Amino acid sequence: MSGPNRPAKVVVAEFARYLRTETTGGMILLGATAIALLWANSPIDDSYRAIRDFRLGPEFLHLNLTIGDWAKDGLLALFFFVAGLELKRELVVGELSRFKQAILPVVAAVGGMIVPALVALSVGWGTPGIERAWAIPVATDIAFALGVLALTASNLPSSARVFLLSLAVVDDLGAILLIAILFTAKFDLVAAGVAVVALALYAYLQHRRVRSAWIYVPLALITWVAVHSAGIHATIAGVALGLLTRVRADEGEEHAPAIRLEHRLQPWSAAVAVPLFALFAAGIKVDSESLSAVFTTALPLAVLVGLVGGKLIGIFGASLLAVKFKLAEKPRGMGWRDIGALSMLGGVGFTVSLLIADLALDGEAVELAKAAVLIASAIASLSAAAMLLHRSRVHARED
């Protein structure tokens, strides 16, 4: 079919493909996490740490990194590039481009970042490391969250998926900004200048409708190296490039570059980059002593309560206030109990929470914080799954 109906069909098909990929990616991510935990707690745990801590790469430009760091700084840059593409598309032509549709998930995301941070600070006040660890529970993991939603909420209205996706996209942006602000330990002005020039050239080439991968791939690598050398976390390069990518298709162009890139790179991000990061980030020692420490030590307890309780209160409370004061409207077909279930699902803070834990802490503290993230994500996902299954049955009876 041609004419005005075609773009709508393209957008629907693209959105459905995105959800399917994220669902599959969530399952792969769960498998990688299980492998990491089993490996790190097995008789051959020394081999896990030897591989994770093995260094490779040139010392020039500070690129002699461990394999774990390559996964954290390199592979996650691809994840954030795809997140940047998604964010740009939502801001320009998607749900976040229209105020009434955009404002509720934006307000909910902001509440879901501020309240967990305040909860974590309150619980861990005075504990060494909490001045940086408060940022750990601000993140929501989009892959796991959408995976749980797809598996348990088949009868919920499609607006539930749009709400969660938009909330997670805004949440990712907030987490990216925190990483850039809080975890830039040093700053190289020359490298930063190279990064700015590379990004400006990328934007110019997009404006001039240049499409050659032979230009863009080297330029993206130069940008990544420059951002890393500048002392800024290298994942920022990914989101910056994503935000500079064109999202509107020209006349006669079937898809805009952002759509094409998302289509090509999403599977690599969801099925390779993020699971490999999880493989080297989630391998922590789990025994009765460490599990007990999560619930009895202030810092990991602050992370756990921030994710499970702070996210629920922050997302739901901000949504309730926004609707009460007529700043926004509830998503079509959804009730407050549906929003409550999605708010609980927001406490699944896996990928970015583990990244921030790595950046914020070291030694035993980072291991305990990661354990808290894993436990909190399990509690939030199982609780949300039970709530969503119930709400799905309610919606099925109403239909």
Side-chain angles (χ1 to χ4, degrees), residues 67-77 233 235 277 355 358-359:
I67 289 179
D69 284 337
W70 276 109
K72 180 173 62 180
D73 293 357
L75 291 177
L76 276 195
H233 198 268
T235 52
F277 164 75
L355 172 61
D358 264 330
L359 296 174

Side-chain angles (χ1 to χ4, degrees), residues 105-179:
V106 170
V107 170
V110 172
M113 289 184 283
I114 293 174
V115 175
L118 292 176
V119 168
L121 280 170
S122 299
V123 174
W125 189 259
T127 304
I130 195 64
E131 69 279 0
R132 290 163 68 87
W134 62 263
I136 297 172
V138 304
T140 293
D141 189 278
I142 190 170
F144 264 145
L146 284 175
V148 172
L149 183 68
L151 290 170
T152 60
S154 58
N155 293 310
L156 258 66
S158 59
S159 57
R161 290 173 173 81
V162 174
F163 175 80
L164 182 62
L165 178 61
S166 301
L167 182 152
V169 167
V170 176
D171 191 285
D172 276 345
L173 177 61
I176 290 163
L177 291 175
L178 279 179
I179 290 170

Side-chain angles (χ1 to χ4, degrees), residues 41 285-297 368 371 375:
N41 291 276
K285 279 286 186 182
V286 178
D287 51 32
S288 58
E289 185 177 337
S290 62
L291 289 177
S292 175
V294 170
F295 294 94
T296 57
T297 307
L368 289 176
I375 293 170

Side-chain angles (χ1 to χ4, degrees), residues 67-337:
I67 289 179
D69 284 337
W70 276 109
K72 180 173 62 180
D73 293 357
L75 291 177
L76 276 195
L78 176 61
F79 167 78
F80 278 106
F81 177 65
V82 174
L85 292 173
E86 177 66 19
L87 178 60
K88 176 72 175 289
R89 185 159 68 88
E90 290 295 328
L91 287 169
V92 177
V93 298
E95 290 298 322
L96 301 181
S97 66
R98 296 180 293 278
F99 183 80
K100 278 293 185 183
Q101 286 82 3
I103 191 62
L104 186 64
V106 170
V107 170
V110 172
M113 289 184 283
I114 293 174
V115 175
L118 292 176
V119 168
L121 280 170
S122 299
V123 174
W125 189 259
T127 304
I130 195 64
E131 69 279 0
R132 290 163 68 87
W134 62 263
I136 297 172
V138 304
T140 293
D141 189 278
I142 190 170
F144 264 145
L146 284 175
V148 172
L149 183 68
L151 290 170
T152 60
S154 58
N155 293 310
L156 258 66
S158 59
S159 57
R161 290 173 173 81
V162 174
F163 175 80
L164 182 62
L165 178 61
S166 301
L167 182 152
V169 167
V170 176
D171 191 285
D172 276 345
L173 177 61
I176 290 163
L177 291 175
L178 279 179
I179 290 170
I181 294 168
L182 296 178
F183 305 113
T184 299
K186 58 185 179 62
F187 189 73
D188 187 314
L189 191 59
V190 174
V194 173
V196 170
V197 171
L199 289 169
L201 179 57
Y202 181 91
Y204 174 76
L205 293 172
Q206 284 288 298
H207 177 71
R208 298 295 299 175
R209 295 339 190 228
V210 174
R211 296 181 57 175
S212 174
W214 293 103
I215 297 176
Y216 284 121
V217 172
L219 189 58
L221 291 174
I222 290 170
T223 304
W224 181 87
V225 171
V227 170
H228 182 273
S229 299
I232 305 168
H233 198 268
T235 52
I236 303 300
V239 75
L241 290 167
L243 290 172
L244 291 173
T245 304
R246 183 165 57 87
V247 296
R248 292 188 187 276
D250 291 336
E251 186 177 351
E253 188 177 32
E254 186 176 4
H255 297 301
I259 300 294
R260 293 197 301 271
L261 286 168
E262 206 178 323
H263 180 78
R264 292 171 184 170
L265 297 178
Q266 183 82 33
W268 291 100
S269 171
V272 178
V274 175
L276 280 176
F277 164 75
L279 180 65
F280 293 110
I284 58 174
K285 279 286 186 182
V286 178
D287 51 32
S288 58
E289 185 177 337
S290 62
L291 289 177
S292 175
V294 170
F295 294 94
T296 57
T297 307
L299 191 145
L301 187 61
V303 172
L304 190 150
V305 176
L307 275 171
V308 177
K311 279 288 186 181
L312 174 62
I313 295 169
I315 295 172
F316 187 81
S319 301
L320 186 65
L321 289 173
V323 173
K324 181 178 176 61
F325 289 104
K326 302 188 185 303
L327 296 174
E329 298 174 354
K330 281 191 297 184
R332 177 180 49 80
M334 286 178 59
W336 284 116
R337 292 182 182 181

Side-chain angles (χ1 to χ4, degrees), residues 22-33:
E22 287 296 342
T23 303
T24 305
M27 298 303 101
I28 298 172
L29 183 56
L30 185 60
T33 304

